[in-house]
Amino acid sequence: MKATGIVRRIDDLGRVVIPKEIRRTMRIREGDPLEIYTGPEGEVVFKKYSAMGELENAAEACEVISKLGGAPAVIFDRDHVVAVSGTQKKEYSERRISAALEDLLEQRSSYSAASDGAPLKPIEGIDSRAIAMTPIISAGDVAGAVAFVSNGGDDVKANDRHVMLTKVAAMFLGKQIES
């Protein structure tokens, strides 16, 4: 763990304010669920909860759509890559989503390289572009996204199959989170 040097007091209702700088850095938004852990030496640790990270089916769904779509597939929660298939997993694993993808998720917007003008780089630090992307909606909230990506300089356009597969996988995973 990294020390921040910030000290906060608990109020009379047992609340602690997480400083704005930490919320911004960790992408913690109002209403985000946090998991609370305790350690043997008295530590209390808050960790962002990801329903997508709890799903056992995410990796399998990613593998199936990658094979059916003939392109690398990636499944995201609201912050990170959760599952990858069809490309090197080490390169993508646990990477943060880009600000552009985060904006699309906030708007609940889908993306298709065939119809949308500007290319979308969905992952920070990787030169891949989205071919097609659909947000995962569960119980009315955005839980993440399903996307096909191209590797580096590949200029792959989305087709109807890519778009449909991201929609199907997003709906399936959204229902899995709800149950």
Side-chain angles (χ1 to χ4, degrees), residues 69-72 113-114 129-132 149-151 153-159 162:
R129 290 180 171 76
I131 299 170
V149 296
S150 64
N151 289 326
D154 298 347
D155 194 22
V156 180
K157 295 291 184 191
N159 59 40
H162 292 126

Side-chain angles (χ1 to χ4, degrees), residues 3 6 54 59 64 69 93 95 103 108 112 116-117 131 134 147 154:
I6 300 170
E54 301 287 318
V64 167
S93 187
R95 292 271 187 155
D103 290 343
R108 298 169 179 251
S112 169
D116 298 333
I131 299 170
T134 302
D154 298 347

Side-chain angles (χ1 to χ4, degrees), residues 13-94:
L13 295 176
R15 298 176 295 197
V16 174
V17 174
I18 299 172
K20 185 176 184 176
E21 302 81 30
I22 292 174
R23 292 193 318 264
R24 185 176 50 243
T25 303
M26 300 305 294
R27 296 181 177 182
I28 298 172
R29 295 170 287 281
E30 182 179 331
D32 281 354
L34 299 176
E35 242 176 323
I36 303 170
Y37 295 91
T38 58
E41 296 181 25
E43 306 95 357
V44 177
V45 177
F46 291 93
K47 182 179 178 189
K48 286 185 71 172
Y49 175 76
S50 169
M52 291 298 302
E54 301 287 318
L55 281 182
E56 297 173 8
N57 304 25
E60 288 85 2
C62 193
E63 187 175 334
V64 167
I65 69 165
S66 175
K67 286 181 181 176
L68 291 173
V74 183
I75 296 177
F76 307 92
D77 64 12
R78 293 207 34 154
D79 297 302
H80 295 91
V81 172
V82 173
V84 180
S85 185
T87 189
Q88 292 183 339
K89 291 180 179 159
K90 284 183 181 179
E91 185 179 354
Y92 286 77
S93 187
E94 289 297 313

Side-chain angles (χ1 to χ4, degrees), residues 21 59 62 68 85 114 127 132-133 138 147-148 157-158 161-163 179:
E21 302 81 30
C62 193
L68 291 173
S85 185
D127 191 30
M133 184 282 301
S138 175
F148 281 105
K157 295 291 184 191
R161 183 174 45 181
H162 292 126
V163 173
S179 59

